Amino acid sequence: MIADPKEILVDAEKNNYAIAGINATTLEGIQAVLEAAEEMGTPIMLSHAQVHEPYAPINVFGPLMVHFAEKAKVPVIIHLDHGTNYNYVMKAVRNGFTSIMYDCAHLPYEENVSEVKRFTEMAHQLGIIVEAEVGQMPSNIEGIGGCTEFGVGIENMEQYYTDPKMAEEFCIRALVDMLAISFGTVHGFFVERPILDIERVKQIHSLIPTALVMHGTTGVDEEQIKAAINAGIRKFNYFTGIGTSANESIEAQIKNATAPVYYHEIAANAKEIMKQRAKHIIEVYQNK
Ligand code: 13P
């Protein structure tokens, strides 16, 4: 069923857990995430990122996500991840997304505020919740963040961290429902073990009621994830871990085959592995 996204944010805050925002880039990815949520009996955020447009065009994937979300036995938030231009976020609106990240963090601060505010005022009229970002999320994924080359460590990570006062001011002015904050994670695989600035999360959480979001969850240990939830993180974005979870198994499947391997057999194998990974990550976010 399609969720009331606001209701879920309120529930997460009340019960001190975080919603799993998991990106799906294939049909099997969508099925894996939703079946995992059904088996765990939890609400879920099914996400599509603008950067995946070449593989999963929103005009094809949007209707597909809505179709599967409507049929799901648990509440589903249909989310656009890192929409970076107005035309694209409007495509998400037209395709039935119920939660949209309008990421203008690459713009000067004042433009980030005014651009996001303009969108939020319109989105709220339609019952859509909005996520924005203050501070920058460096990345090891091409096309997102763009602060580093793949496999190269990030110098002076703190320069990207979210300033708590700026986050507070931003949320008051731009009226967003969720705020992505930077406190030590990167998109993609980590080159070094991350040490999260949990105190910063606590401080931002004490200043604003806005649901705080952690991007770049792949590679962060469970202890730090739980500490981040207890400090106020209410939604995690997770992709690289699930998107690569089936690699070894697929390699073995092809290598060990004694007859031609069909793509649908690979896809079925991948779906099962992605589902198990999604179930595990949902369990961690439940923070029990
Ligand atoms: P990872 O790929 O590092 O899990 O991050 C996903 C993300 O933050 C998407 O916005």
Coordinates of all heavy atoms in Angstrom, one line a residue, residues 158-251:
E158 N 36.1 16.8 7.4 CA 35.3 17.7 8.3 C 34.8 18.9 7.5 O 33.8 19.5 7.8 CB 36.0 18.1 9.5 CG 36.2 17.0 10.6 CD 37.3 16.1 10.2 OE1 38.1 16.4 9.3 OE2 37.5 15.1 10.9
Q159 N 35.6 19.3 6.4 CA 35.2 20.5 5.7 C 33.8 20.3 5.1 O 33.1 21.3 4.7 CB 36.2 20.8 4.6 CG 36.2 19.7 3.5 CD 37.2 20.0 2.4 OE1 37.2 21.0 1.7 NE2 38.2 19.0 2.3
Y160 N 33.3 19.1 4.9 CA 32.0 18.8 4.3 C 30.9 18.7 5.3 O 29.7 18.7 4.9 CB 32.0 17.5 3.4 CG 33.1 17.5 2.3 CD1 34.2 16.7 2.5 CD2 32.9 18.3 1.2 CE1 35.1 16.7 1.4 CE2 33.8 18.3 0.2 CZ 35.0 17.5 0.3 OH 35.9 17.5 -0.7
Y161 N 31.2 18.6 6.6 CA 30.2 18.4 7.6 C 29.2 19.5 7.7 O 29.5 20.7 7.4 CB 30.8 18.2 9.0 CG 31.6 16.9 9.1 CD1 31.7 16.0 8.1 CD2 32.2 16.5 10.3 CE1 32.4 14.8 8.2 CE2 32.8 15.3 10.5 CZ 33.0 14.5 9.4 OH 33.7 13.3 9.6
T162 N 28.0 19.1 8.1 CA 26.9 20.1 8.2 C 27.0 20.9 9.5 O 27.3 20.4 10.6 CB 25.5 19.3 8.3 OG1 25.4 18.5 7.2 CG2 24.3 20.3 8.4
D163 N 26.9 22.2 9.3 CA 27.0 23.1 10.4 C 25.6 23.2 11.1 O 24.6 23.4 10.4 CB 27.3 24.6 9.9 CG 27.3 25.6 11.0 OD1 28.2 25.5 11.8 OD2 26.3 26.4 11.0
P164 N 25.5 22.8 12.4 CA 24.2 22.7 13.1 C 23.4 24.0 13.0 O 22.1 23.9 12.7 CB 24.6 22.4 14.5 CG 25.9 21.7 14.4 CD 26.6 22.4 13.3
K165 N 23.9 25.1 13.2 CA 23.2 26.4 13.1 C 22.6 26.6 11.7 O 21.5 27.1 11.5 CB 24.1 27.6 13.6 CG 24.2 27.7 15.0 CD 22.9 28.4 15.6 CE 22.7 28.1 17.1 NZ 21.3 28.2 17.5
M166 N 23.4 26.3 10.7 CA 23.0 26.5 9.3 C 21.9 25.5 9.0 O 20.9 25.8 8.3 CB 24.2 26.2 8.4 CG 24.0 26.7 7.0 SD 25.4 26.3 6.0 CE 26.3 27.8 6.0
A167 N 22.0 24.3 9.6 CA 20.9 23.3 9.3 C 19.6 23.8 9.9 O 18.5 23.7 9.3 CB 21.3 22.0 10.0
E168 N 19.7 24.4 11.1 CA 18.5 24.9 11.8 C 17.8 26.0 11.0 O 16.6 26.0 10.7 CB 18.8 25.4 13.2 CG 17.7 25.9 14.0 CD 18.1 26.6 15.3 OE1 19.3 27.0 15.4 OE2 17.2 26.7 16.2
E169 N 18.7 26.9 10.6 CA 18.2 28.1 9.8 C 17.6 27.6 8.5 O 16.5 28.1 8.1 CB 19.4 29.0 9.6 CG 19.0 30.5 9.5 CD 19.3 31.0 8.1 OE1 19.6 30.3 7.1 OE2 19.1 32.2 7.9
F170 N 18.2 26.7 7.9 CA 17.8 26.1 6.6 C 16.4 25.5 6.7 O 15.4 25.8 5.9 CB 18.7 25.1 6.0 CG 18.3 24.5 4.7 CD1 18.8 25.1 3.5 CD2 17.5 23.4 4.6 CE1 18.4 24.6 2.3 CE2 17.1 22.9 3.4 CZ 17.6 23.5 2.2
C171 N 16.2 24.7 7.7 CA 14.9 24.0 7.9 C 13.8 25.0 8.2 O 12.6 24.8 7.8 CB 15.0 22.9 9.0 SG 16.0 21.5 8.5
I172 N 14.1 26.0 9.0 CA 13.0 27.0 9.3 C 12.6 27.7 8.0 O 11.4 27.9 7.8 CB 13.6 28.0 10.4 CG1 13.7 27.3 11.7 CG2 12.6 29.2 10.5 CD1 14.5 28.0 12.8
R173 N 13.6 28.0 7.2 CA 13.3 28.8 6.0 C 12.7 27.9 4.8 O 11.8 28.4 4.1 CB 14.5 29.6 5.5 CG 14.8 30.7 6.5 CD 16.1 31.4 6.1 NE 16.1 32.1 4.8 CZ 17.1 32.5 4.1 NH1 18.4 32.2 4.6 NH2 17.0 33.0 3.0
A174 N 13.3 26.8 4.6 CA 13.0 26.0 3.4 C 11.8 25.0 3.7 O 11.4 24.4 2.8 CB 14.2 25.3 2.9
L175 N 11.4 24.8 5.0 CA 10.2 24.1 5.4 C 10.3 22.6 5.0 O 9.3 21.9 4.8 CB 9.0 24.7 4.7 CG 8.8 26.2 4.8 CD1 7.8 26.7 3.8 CD2 8.4 26.6 6.2
V176 N 11.5 22.0 4.9 CA 11.6 20.6 4.5 C 11.2 19.7 5.6 O 11.2 20.0 6.8 CB 13.1 20.3 4.1 CG1 13.4 21.0 2.7 CG2 14.1 20.6 5.1
D177 N 10.8 18.4 5.2 CA 10.4 17.4 6.2 C 11.6 16.5 6.6 O 11.6 15.9 7.7 CB 9.4 16.5 5.5 CG 8.3 17.3 4.9 OD1 7.4 17.7 5.7 OD2 8.3 17.6 3.7
M178 N 12.6 16.4 5.7 CA 13.8 15.6 6.0 C 15.0 16.4 5.6 O 15.0 17.1 4.6 CB 13.7 14.3 5.2 CG 12.6 13.4 5.6 SD 12.6 11.9 4.6 CE 12.1 12.4 3.0
L179 N 16.1 16.2 6.4 CA 17.3 16.9 6.1 C 18.5 15.9 6.0 O 18.7 15.2 7.1 CB 17.6 18.0 7.1 CG 18.8 18.8 6.7 CD1 18.5 19.8 5.5 CD2 19.3 19.7 7.9
A180 N 19.2 15.8 4.9 CA 20.4 15.0 4.8 C 21.5 15.8 5.4 O 21.7 16.9 5.0 CB 20.6 14.6 3.3
I181 N 22.2 15.1 6.3 CA 23.3 15.9 7.0 C 24.6 15.1 6.8 O 24.6 13.9 6.6 CB 23.1 16.1 8.5 CG1 22.8 14.8 9.2 CG2 21.9 17.1 8.7 CD1 22.7 15.0 10.7
S182 N 25.7 15.8 6.7 CA 27.0 15.2 6.5 C 27.7 15.2 7.9 O 27.9 16.2 8.5 CB 27.7 16.1 5.5 OG 29.1 15.6 5.4
F183 N 28.1 14.0 8.3 CA 28.9 13.9 9.5 C 29.8 12.7 9.5 O 30.1 12.1 10.5 CB 27.9 13.7 10.7 CG 26.9 12.6 10.7 CD1 27.1 11.5 11.5 CD2 25.8 12.6 9.8 CE1 26.2 10.4 11.4 CE2 24.9 11.5 9.7 CZ 25.1 10.4 10.5
G184 N 30.3 12.4 8.3 CA 31.4 11.4 8.3 C 31.2 10.2 7.3 O 32.1 9.4 7.1
T185 N 30.0 10.2 6.6 CA 29.8 9.1 5.6 C 30.1 9.6 4.2 O 30.1 10.8 3.9 CB 28.4 8.6 5.7 OG1 27.5 9.6 5.4 CG2 28.1 7.9 7.0
V186 N 30.4 8.7 3.3 CA 30.5 9.0 1.9 C 29.6 8.0 1.1 O 29.3 7.0 1.6 CB 31.9 8.9 1.3 CG1 32.9 9.8 2.1 CG2 32.4 7.4 1.3
H187 N 29.2 8.4 -0.1 CA 28.4 7.5 -1.0 C 29.4 6.5 -1.5 O 30.6 6.8 -1.9 CB 27.8 8.3 -2.1 CG 26.6 9.1 -1.8 ND1 26.7 10.5 -1.8 CD2 25.4 8.8 -1.4 CE1 25.5 11.0 -1.4 NE2 24.7 10.0 -1.2
G188 N 29.0 5.3 -1.6 CA 29.9 4.2 -2.2 C 30.7 3.6 -1.1 O 30.5 3.8 0.1
F189 N 31.7 2.8 -1.6 CA 32.6 2.1 -0.6 C 33.5 3.0 0.0 O 34.0 4.0 -0.6 CB 33.4 1.0 -1.4 CG 32.5 -0.2 -1.8 CD1 32.4 -0.5 -3.1 CD2 31.9 -1.0 -0.8 CE1 31.6 -1.6 -3.5 CE2 31.1 -2.1 -1.2 CZ 31.0 -2.4 -2.5
F190 N 33.8 2.8 1.3 CA 34.8 3.6 2.0 C 36.2 3.1 1.7 O 36.4 1.9 1.6 CB 34.5 3.5 3.5 CG 33.3 4.2 4.0 CD1 32.1 3.6 4.1 CD2 33.4 5.6 4.3 CE1 31.0 4.3 4.6 CE2 32.3 6.3 4.7 CZ 31.1 5.7 4.8
V191 N 37.1 4.0 1.6 CA 38.5 3.7 1.5 C 39.1 3.4 2.8 O 39.9 2.5 3.0 CB 39.2 4.8 0.8 CG1 40.7 4.5 0.6 CG2 38.6 5.1 -0.6
E192 N 38.6 4.1 3.8 CA 39.0 3.9 5.2 C 37.8 3.7 6.1 O 36.7 4.3 5.7 CB 39.8 5.1 5.8 CG 41.0 5.4 5.1 CD 41.5 6.9 5.3 OE1 40.8 7.7 5.9 OE2 42.6 7.2 4.8
R193 N 38.0 3.0 7.2 CA 36.8 2.9 8.1 C 36.3 4.3 8.6 O 37.1 5.1 9.1 CB 37.2 2.0 9.4 CG 36.1 1.8 10.3 CD 36.5 1.0 11.5 NE 35.4 0.8 12.4 CZ 35.3 1.6 13.5 NH1 36.1 2.5 13.8 NH2 34.2 1.4 14.3
P194 N 35.0 4.5 8.4 CA 34.5 5.9 8.8 C 34.3 6.0 10.3 O 34.0 5.0 11.0 CB 33.2 6.0 8.1 CG 32.7 4.5 8.0 CD 34.0 3.7 7.8
I195 N 34.6 7.1 10.8 CA 34.3 7.4 12.2 C 33.3 8.6 12.2 O 33.6 9.7 11.8 CB 35.5 7.9 13.0 CG1 36.7 6.9 12.9 CG2 35.2 8.2 14.5 CD1 36.5 5.6 13.6
L196 N 32.0 8.3 12.6 CA 31.0 9.3 12.5 C 31.0 10.3 13.7 O 31.3 9.9 14.8 CB 29.6 8.6 12.4 CG 29.4 7.5 11.4 CD1 28.0 7.0 11.3 CD2 29.8 8.0 10.0
D197 N 30.6 11.5 13.3 CA 30.5 12.6 14.3 C 29.1 12.5 14.9 O 28.3 13.3 14.6 CB 30.8 13.9 13.7 CG 30.9 15.0 14.6 OD1 30.6 14.9 15.8 OD2 31.3 16.2 14.2
I198 N 28.9 11.6 15.9 CA 27.6 11.4 16.5 C 27.1 12.6 17.3 O 25.9 12.9 17.3 CB 27.6 10.1 17.4 CG1 28.0 8.9 16.5 CG2 26.3 9.9 18.1 CD1 26.9 8.5 15.5
E199 N 28.1 13.3 17.9 CA 27.7 14.5 18.7 C 27.0 15.5 17.8 O 26.1 16.2 18.2 CB 28.9 15.1 19.4 CG 29.4 14.3 20.6 CD 28.3 14.0 21.6 OE1 27.6 15.0 22.0 OE2 28.1 12.9 22.0
R200 N 27.5 15.6 16.6 CA 26.9 16.6 15.7 C 25.5 16.3 15.4 O 24.6 17.1 15.3 CB 27.8 16.6 14.4 CG 27.4 17.7 13.4 CD 28.4 17.7 12.2 NE 29.7 18.0 12.6 CZ 30.3 19.2 12.5 NH1 29.7 20.2 12.0 NH2 31.6 19.4 12.9
V201 N 25.2 15.0 15.2 CA 23.8 14.5 15.0 C 22.9 14.9 16.1 O 21.8 15.5 16.0 CB 23.7 13.0 14.7 CG1 22.3 12.6 14.4 CG2 24.6 12.5 13.6
K202 N 23.4 14.6 17.3 CA 22.7 15.0 18.6 C 22.4 16.4 18.6 O 21.2 16.8 18.9 CB 23.5 14.6 19.8 CG 23.4 13.2 20.2 CD 24.1 13.0 21.6 CE 24.4 11.5 21.8 NZ 25.5 11.2 22.7
Q203 N 23.4 17.2 18.3 CA 23.2 18.7 18.4 C 22.1 19.2 17.4 O 21.3 19.9 17.7 CB 24.5 19.3 18.1 CG 24.6 20.7 18.6 CD 25.9 21.4 18.2 OE1 26.9 20.8 17.8 NE2 26.0 22.7 18.3
I204 N 22.2 18.7 16.1 CA 21.3 19.1 15.1 C 19.9 18.6 15.5 O 18.9 19.3 15.4 CB 21.7 18.6 13.7 CG1 23.1 19.1 13.3 CG2 20.6 18.9 12.7 CD1 23.7 18.5 12.0
H205 N 19.8 17.4 16.0 CA 18.5 16.8 16.4 C 17.9 17.7 17.6 O 16.6 17.8 17.6 CB 18.7 15.4 16.9 CG 17.4 14.7 17.2 ND1 16.4 14.5 16.3 CD2 17.0 14.0 18.4 CE1 15.4 13.8 16.9 NE2 15.8 13.5 18.1
S206 N 18.7 18.2 18.4 CA 18.1 19.0 19.5 C 17.7 20.4 19.0 O 16.9 21.0 19.7 CB 19.2 19.2 20.6 OG 20.2 20.1 20.2
L207 N 18.1 20.8 17.9 CA 17.7 22.1 17.4 C 16.5 22.1 16.5 O 15.8 23.1 16.5 CB 18.9 22.7 16.5 CG 20.2 23.1 17.3 CD1 21.3 23.5 16.3 CD2 19.9 24.2 18.3
I208 N 16.2 21.0 15.8 CA 15.1 21.0 14.8 C 14.3 19.7 14.9 O 14.9 18.6 15.1 CB 15.6 21.2 13.3 CG1 16.9 20.3 13.1 CG2 15.8 22.6 13.0 CD1 17.3 20.3 11.7
P209 N 13.0 19.8 14.6 CA 12.2 18.6 14.6 C 12.2 17.9 13.3 O 11.7 16.8 13.2 CB 10.7 19.2 14.8 CG 10.8 20.6 14.3 CD 12.2 21.1 14.4
T210 N 12.9 18.4 12.3 CA 13.0 17.8 10.9 C 13.7 16.4 11.0 O 14.7 16.3 11.8 CB 13.9 18.7 10.0 OG1 13.5 20.1 10.3 CG2 13.8 18.3 8.6
A211 N 13.1 15.4 10.3 CA 13.7 14.1 10.3 C 15.1 14.1 9.7 O 15.3 14.6 8.5 CB 12.8 13.1 9.6
L212 N 16.1 13.6 10.4 CA 17.5 13.7 9.9 C 17.8 12.4 9.1 O 17.4 11.3 9.5 CB 18.5 13.9 11.1 CG 18.2 15.2 11.9 CD1 19.2 15.2 13.0 CD2 18.3 16.4 11.0
V213 N 18.6 12.6 8.0 CA 18.8 11.5 7.1 C 20.4 11.3 7.0 O 21.1 12.2 6.9 CB 18.3 11.8 5.7 CG1 18.6 10.6 4.8 CG2 16.8 12.1 5.8
M214 N 20.7 10.0 7.1 CA 22.1 9.7 6.8 C 22.2 9.0 5.4 O 21.6 8.0 5.2 CB 22.7 8.7 7.9 CG 24.1 8.3 7.7 SD 24.7 7.3 9.1 CE 25.3 5.9 8.3
H215 N 23.0 9.6 4.6 CA 23.4 8.9 3.3 C 24.6 8.1 3.4 O 25.4 8.3 4.4 CB 23.6 10.0 2.2 CG 22.3 10.7 1.8 ND1 21.9 10.7 0.4 CD2 21.3 11.3 2.4 CE1 20.7 11.3 0.3 NE2 20.4 11.7 1.5
G216 N 24.9 7.3 2.4 CA 26.2 6.6 2.4 C 26.3 5.5 3.5 O 27.3 5.5 4.2
T217 N 25.3 4.7 3.7 CA 25.3 3.8 4.8 C 26.2 2.6 4.6 O 26.7 1.9 5.5 CB 23.9 3.3 5.1 OG1 23.1 4.5 5.3 CG2 23.8 2.5 6.4
T218 N 26.4 2.2 3.3 CA 27.2 1.0 3.0 C 28.6 1.2 3.7 O 29.3 2.2 3.6 CB 27.4 0.9 1.5 OG1 26.2 0.8 0.8 CG2 28.3 -0.2 1.1
G219 N 28.9 0.1 4.4 CA 30.3 0.1 5.0 C 30.3 0.6 6.4 O 31.4 0.6 7.0
V220 N 29.2 1.2 6.9 CA 29.2 1.7 8.3 C 28.9 0.6 9.2 O 27.9 -0.1 8.9 CB 28.2 2.9 8.4 CG1 28.2 3.4 9.9 CG2 28.6 4.0 7.5
D221 N 29.6 0.4 10.3 CA 29.3 -0.8 11.2 C 28.0 -0.5 11.9 O 27.6 0.6 12.2 CB 30.5 -1.1 12.1 CG 30.9 0.2 12.9 OD1 30.3 0.5 13.9 OD2 31.9 0.8 12.4
E222 N 27.5 -1.7 12.4 CA 26.1 -1.6 13.0 C 26.1 -0.8 14.3 O 25.2 -0.1 14.6 CB 25.7 -3.0 13.3 CG 25.3 -3.8 12.1 CD 24.9 -5.2 12.3 OE1 24.5 -5.6 13.4 OE2 24.9 -6.0 11.3
E223 N 27.3 -0.8 15.0 CA 27.3 -0.1 16.3 C 27.2 1.4 16.0 O 26.4 2.1 16.7 CB 28.7 -0.4 16.9 CG 28.8 -0.1 18.4 CD 30.2 -0.4 18.8 OE1 30.8 -1.4 18.5 OE2 30.8 0.5 19.5
Q224 N 27.8 1.9 15.0 CA 27.7 3.3 14.7 C 26.4 3.7 14.1 O 25.8 4.8 14.3 CB 28.8 3.8 13.7 CG 30.2 3.8 14.3 CD 31.2 4.5 13.5 OE1 31.4 5.7 13.6 NE2 31.9 3.8 12.6
I225 N 25.8 2.7 13.3 CA 24.4 3.0 12.8 C 23.4 3.1 14.0 O 22.6 4.1 14.0 CB 24.0 1.8 11.9 CG1 24.8 1.8 10.6 CG2 22.5 1.9 11.6 CD1 24.5 0.7 9.6
K226 N 23.5 2.3 14.9 CA 22.6 2.3 16.1 C 22.9 3.6 16.9 O 21.9 4.3 17.4 CB 22.8 1.1 17.0 CG 22.3 -0.1 16.2 CD 21.7 -1.2 17.1 CE 21.0 -2.2 16.1 NZ 20.3 -3.2 16.7
A227 N 24.1 4.0 17.0 CA 24.5 5.3 17.7 C 23.8 6.4 17.0 O 23.3 7.4 17.6 CB 26.0 5.4 17.9
A228 N 23.9 6.4 15.6 CA 23.3 7.5 14.8 C 21.8 7.5 15.0 O 21.2 8.6 15.1 CB 23.7 7.3 13.4
I229 N 21.1 6.4 15.1 CA 19.7 6.4 15.4 C 19.4 6.9 16.7 O 18.5 7.8 16.9 CB 19.1 4.9 15.2 CG1 19.3 4.4 13.8 CG2 17.6 4.9 15.6 CD1 18.9 2.9 13.7
N230 N 20.1 6.5 17.7 CA 19.9 7.0 19.1 C 20.2 8.5 19.2 O 19.6 9.2 20.1 CB 20.7 6.2 20.1 CG 20.2 4.8 20.2 OD1 19.0 4.5 20.0 ND2 21.1 3.9 20.5
A231 N 21.0 9.0 18.3 CA 21.3 10.5 18.3 C 20.2 11.2 17.5 O 20.2 12.5 17.5 CB 22.7 10.7 17.7
G232 N 19.4 10.5 16.7 CA 18.3 11.2 16.0 C 18.2 11.0 14.5 O 17.4 11.6 13.8
I233 N 19.0 10.1 13.9 CA 18.8 9.8 12.5 C 17.5 9.0 12.3 O 17.2 8.0 13.0 CB 20.0 9.0 11.9 CG1 21.2 9.9 11.9 CG2 19.7 8.4 10.5 CD1 21.2 11.0 10.9
R234 N 16.6 9.4 11.4 CA 15.3 8.8 11.2 C 15.2 8.1 9.8 O 14.2 7.5 9.5 CB 14.2 9.8 11.4 CG 14.1 10.4 12.8 CD 13.7 9.3 13.8 NE 14.0 9.7 15.1 CZ 14.9 9.0 15.9 NH1 15.5 8.0 15.5 NH2 15.1 9.4 17.2
K235 N 16.2 8.3 8.9 CA 16.1 7.5 7.7 C 17.5 7.3 7.2 O 18.4 8.2 7.3 CB 15.4 8.4 6.6 CG 14.9 7.6 5.4 CD 15.6 7.9 4.1 CE 15.3 9.3 3.5 NZ 16.0 9.5 2.2
F236 N 17.8 6.1 6.7 CA 19.1 5.8 6.1 C 19.0 5.6 4.7 O 18.0 4.9 4.2 CB 19.7 4.5 6.8 CG 20.2 4.7 8.1 CD1 19.4 4.4 9.2 CD2 21.5 5.2 8.4 CE1 19.9 4.6 10.5 CE2 22.0 5.4 9.6 CZ 21.2 5.1 10.7
N237 N 19.9 6.0 3.9 CA 20.0 5.7 2.5 C 21.0 4.6 2.3 O 22.2 4.7 2.7 CB 20.4 6.9 1.6 CG 19.2 7.9 1.5 OD1 18.2 7.8 2.2 ND2 19.3 8.8 0.5
Y238 N 20.6 3.6 1.6 CA 21.5 2.4 1.4 C 21.4 2.0 0.0 O 20.3 1.7 -0.6 CB 21.0 1.3 2.3 CG 21.9 0.0 2.3 CD1 23.1 0.1 2.9 CD2 21.4 -1.2 1.8 CE1 23.9 -1.0 2.9 CE2 22.2 -2.3 1.8 CZ 23.5 -2.2 2.3 OH 24.3 -3.3 2.4
F239 N 22.6 1.8 -0.7 CA 22.5 1.3 -2.0 C 23.7 0.4 -2.4 O 23.5 -0.7 -2.8 CB 22.4 2.5 -3.1 CG 22.5 1.9 -4.5 CD1 21.6 1.0 -4.9 CD2 23.6 2.3 -5.3 CE1 21.7 0.4 -6.2 CE2 23.7 1.8 -6.6 CZ 22.8 0.8 -7.0
T240 N 24.9 0.9 -2.3 CA 26.1 0.2 -2.9 C 26.1 -1.2 -2.3 O 26.4 -2.2 -3.1 CB 27.4 0.9 -2.5 OG1 27.3 2.2 -3.1 CG2 28.6 0.2 -3.1
G241 N 25.9 -1.4 -1.0 CA 25.9 -2.7 -0.4 C 25.0 -3.7 -1.1 O 25.3 -4.8 -1.5
I242 N 23.7 -3.3 -1.3 CA 22.7 -4.2 -1.9 C 23.0 -4.3 -3.4 O 22.9 -5.4 -4.0 CB 21.3 -3.7 -1.6 CG1 20.3 -4.8 -1.9 CG2 20.9 -2.4 -2.3 CD1 18.9 -4.6 -1.4
G243 N 23.4 -3.2 -4.0 CA 23.6 -3.2 -5.5 C 24.7 -4.1 -6.0 O 24.8 -4.5 -7.1
T244 N 25.6 -4.4 -5.0 CA 26.8 -5.3 -5.4 C 26.7 -6.6 -4.6 O 27.7 -7.4 -4.7 CB 28.1 -4.6 -5.0 OG1 28.1 -4.3 -3.7 CG2 28.3 -3.3 -5.8
S245 N 25.7 -6.8 -3.8 CA 25.6 -8.0 -2.9 C 25.7 -9.3 -3.7 O 26.1 -10.3 -3.1 CB 24.4 -7.9 -2.0 OG 23.2 -7.9 -2.8
A246 N 25.2 -9.4 -4.9 CA 25.1 -10.7 -5.6 C 26.3 -10.9 -6.5 O 26.4 -12.0 -7.1 CB 23.8 -10.7 -6.4
N247 N 27.3 -10.0 -6.5 CA 28.4 -10.2 -7.5 C 29.1 -11.5 -7.4 O 29.3 -12.2 -8.4 CB 29.4 -9.0 -7.3 CG 28.9 -7.7 -7.7 OD1 27.7 -7.6 -8.1 ND2 29.7 -6.7 -7.7
E248 N 29.5 -11.9 -6.2 CA 30.3 -13.1 -6.1 C 29.5 -14.3 -6.5 O 30.0 -15.2 -7.2 CB 30.8 -13.3 -4.7 CG 32.1 -12.4 -4.4 CD 32.5 -12.5 -2.9 OE1 32.1 -13.5 -2.2 OE2 33.1 -11.5 -2.5
S249 N 28.3 -14.3 -6.1 CA 27.4 -15.5 -6.3 C 27.2 -15.6 -7.9 O 27.2 -16.7 -8.4 CB 26.1 -15.3 -5.6 OG 25.2 -16.4 -5.9
I250 N 27.0 -14.5 -8.5 CA 26.7 -14.5 -10.0 C 28.0 -15.0 -10.7 O 27.9 -15.8 -11.6 CB 26.3 -13.1 -10.5 CG1 25.0 -12.7 -9.9 CG2 26.4 -13.0 -12.0 CD1 24.6 -11.3 -10.2
E251 N 29.1 -14.5 -10.2 CA 30.4 -15.0 -10.8 C 30.5 -16.5 -10.7 O 30.8 -17.2 -11.7 CB 31.6 -14.3 -10.1 CG 32.8 -14.1 -10.9 CD 33.9 -13.4 -10.1 OE1 33.6 -12.6 -9.3 OE2 35.0 -13.8 -10.4

